[in-house]
Amino acid sequence: MLEAGTKAPSFSLPDQNGIYHTLEEYRGKKVILYFYPKDLTSGCTKQACGFGELYPQFTEKGAVILGVSKDSVASHKRFEEKYALPFTLLSDPELEAIQAYDVWKEKKNYGKVSMGVVRTTYLIDENGVIEKAFGKVKAAENPAQMLEEL
């Protein structure tokens, strides 16, 4: 996980509509950049829907929410449509941002070891510097926690 005070790594990734986004386009705004393991799974759905429910409060505070996983653009589109998610989901199948933000880790699940995304949320300031970093976040609690951090 990257430390607070570090310059946030740049990226260029497609969203659920295939439109590319870079971190630089959000200069001047706070960015909540959250990495999650997989679309349409229980924990990831709770986290995304939580951000969706609180979205008006985030926008009032001038913050942008970006969710990132290695799922495809098409998978993100299904996820967005099924839960009417009002924010941007970025597709990172090549692990460009996932590795740059140090969230691709060894995970153990029922004794089986594999590589995967560790649920992590970064709060990035208006100048592109990581203000706060939260590792192994609890999916259901993370949206409210991030709103408090703002």
Side-chain angles (χ1 to χ4, degrees):
M1 190 168 77
L2 302 179
E3 298 294 317
T6 310
K7 184 174 177 1
S10 184
F11 57 77
S12 178
L13 297 172
D15 68 10
Q16 64 268 37
N17 299 307
I19 298 163
Y20 277 77
H21 295 263
T22 63
L23 184 60
E24 290 71 27
E25 74 189 64
Y26 299 104
R27 279 285 148 87
K29 292 182 177 227
K30 293 221 184 242
V31 175
I32 291 162
L33 182 67
Y34 83 94
F35 292 88
Y36 65 97
K38 191 150 182 53
D39 289 343
L40 301 164
T41 57
S42 169
C44 298
T45 298
K46 280 184 192 132
Q47 188 177 22
C49 289
F51 276 122
E53 285 164 28
L54 297 174
Y55 188 70
Q57 285 127 289
F58 282 106
T59 55
E60 271 172 31
K61 293 179 183 256
V64 175
I65 299 169
L66 302 174
V68 183
S69 82
K70 66 184 194 71
D71 293 306
S72 68
V73 167
S75 174
H76 279 352
K77 191 66 185 168
R78 285 190 298 275
F79 194 28
E80 173 205 35
E81 288 176 346
K82 183 168 183 176
Y83 295 102
L85 300 174
F87 55 89
T88 303
L89 297 172
L90 299 174
S91 175
D92 191 10
E94 305 298 318
L95 311 178
E96 173 195 329
I98 289 169
Q99 288 182 329
Y101 282 84
D102 197 29
V103 297
W104 186 250
K105 302 280 187 193
E106 198 173 83
K107 296 166 88 173
K108 286 189 176 92
N109 196 12
Y110 302 110
K112 186 175 158 255
V113 177
S114 62
M115 294 299 287
V117 173
V118 174
R119 194 181 307 278
T120 306
T121 304
Y122 290 99
L123 176 58
I124 300 169
D125 74 12
E126 296 84 349
N127 300 311
V129 175
I130 296 170
E131 205 172 287
K132 298 207 170 158
F134 301 91
K136 296 183 183 165
V137 297
K138 291 187 173 29
E141 296 165 16
N142 187 230
Q145 172 194 21
M146 295 313 295
L147 192 57
E148 276 179 38
E149 290 297 332
L150 288 173

